[in-house]
């Protein structure tokens, strides 16, 4: 009784089949949506969460190289704005001696007072720096107003505050053994935490 000498490997066959099948992308489609008040996320502070319209108002196609370039330009602009705000805060702190002495000059400073020459953009690698930054409440509200949102629902602020408070308390107050009559977890229908 003899075995075949060169039995083809199942693994080799599947690798050979896979070698010819690759996904290659030639372009990127970017959809643009109008901003709306969100009601779907919980910002870490304040009210008026950001959201987007249910349908896009514009779509653009880019080649991969065009999209990479646009993204790099956008990230560099965000970095420049971030560094400008940081420089403005630092100047205000200097003029007010870390906020201890009121200064009319510090109060009058704006982002326009910080020139591009004051920024060390070349020292920061854009790819390493860029990530989504949380926006303060005032900036979120300004973005919404600039996008045409006329009335910002004030009730959302209270709802978001209540959600943040409820997330701070996790579990129950049971020690060693669970007391189902007083256990918040048991009453919520989950295992005692």
């Amino acid at each position: 009784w003899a075995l075949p000498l060169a039995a083809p490997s199942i693994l080799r066959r599947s690798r050979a089949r896979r070698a010819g099948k690759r996904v290659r992308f030639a372009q990127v489609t970017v959809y643009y949506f109008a901003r709306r008040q969100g009601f779907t996320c919980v910002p870490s502070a304040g009210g008026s969460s950001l959201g987007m319209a249910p349908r896009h108002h514009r779509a653009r196609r880019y080649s991969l190289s065009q999209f990479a370039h646009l993204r790099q330009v956008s990230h560099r602009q965000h970095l420049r704005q971030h560094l400008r705000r940081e420089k403005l805060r630092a100047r205000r702190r200097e003029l007010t001696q870390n906020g201890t002495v009121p200064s009319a000059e510090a109060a009058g400073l704006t982002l326009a007072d910080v020139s591009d020459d004051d920024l060390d953009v070349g020292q920061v690698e854009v790819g390493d720096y860029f990530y989504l930054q949380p926006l303060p409440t005032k900036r979120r509200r300004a973005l919404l107003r600039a996008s045409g949102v006329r009335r910002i629902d004030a009730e959302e602020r209270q709802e978001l505050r209540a959600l943040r408070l409820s997330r701070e308390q996790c579990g129950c107050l049971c020690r060693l053994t669970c007391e189902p009559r007083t256990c918040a977890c048991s009453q919520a229908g989950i295992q005692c935490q």
Side-chain angles (χ1 to χ4, degrees):
W1 196 77
L3 290 172
L5 293 176
S9 169
I10 296 171
L11 296 176
R12 282 192 196 133
R13 241 185 314 171
S14 65
R15 281 187 194 142
R17 265 192 231 138
R18 274 191 260 152
K21 295 181 180 183
R22 292 197 178 152
V23 175
R24 288 194 173 91
F25 297 97
Q27 58 187 349
V28 176
T29 304
V30 179
Y31 295 93
Y32 296 89
F33 293 82
R35 288 189 193 274
R36 297 284 183 259
Q37 193 168 358
F39 303 105
T40 57
C41 64
V42 182
S44 56
S48 48
S49 61
L50 295 176
M52 60 186 188
R55 300 200 44 86
H56 64 278
H57 60 83
R58 184 174 75 149
R60 295 237 6 227
R61 290 185 191 270
Y62 299 100
S63 70
L64 291 177
S65 60
Q66 287 174 323
F67 182 70
H69 176 72
L70 286 172
R71 195 168 167 187
Q72 186 178 21
V73 167
S74 171
H75 288 184
R76 193 159 294 283
Q77 287 173 339
H78 283 284
L79 173 62
R80 197 172 251 114
Q81 281 300 103
H82 174 73
L83 293 174
R84 186 170 271 126
R85 284 190 297 273
E86 289 299 313
K87 190 66 136 180
L88 178 62
R89 280 190 205 108
R91 283 190 183 165
R92 284 179 176 164
R93 275 194 304 268
E94 284 175 13
L95 291 171
T96 61
Q97 296 176 357
N98 285 334
T100 58
V101 178
S103 168
E105 185 181 357
L109 286 176
T110 65
L111 288 174
D113 296 322
V114 180
S115 72
D116 282 344
D117 297 335
D118 296 336
L119 307 176
D120 290 331
V121 178
Q123 300 295 332
V124 180
E125 181 62 39
V126 176
D128 294 341
Y129 162 78
F130 194 81
Y131 52 91
L132 289 175
Q133 301 285 328
L135 295 174
T137 304
K138 284 183 182 181
R139 289 212 33 227
R140 288 196 306 266
R141 285 170 119 28
L143 281 171
L144 288 170
R145 290 212 169 91
S147 296
V149 176
R150 300 222 187 282
R151 186 180 162 277
I152 296 174
D153 189 347
E155 286 182 30
E156 186 186 26
R157 184 172 21 144
Q158 282 81 27
E159 291 171 7
L160 292 173
R161 195 153 136 260
L163 274 170
R164 281 192 294 269
L165 285 172
S166 73
R167 289 179 178 180
E168 284 179 13
Q169 182 183 8
C170 179
C172 58
L173 301 175
C174 294
R175 303 286 173 231
L176 301 176
T177 60
C178 178
E179 295 293 328
R181 286 178 289 135
T182 59
C183 176
C185 296
S186 179
Q187 291 171 357
I190 59 173
Q191 187 175 359
C192 184
Q193 301 293 313

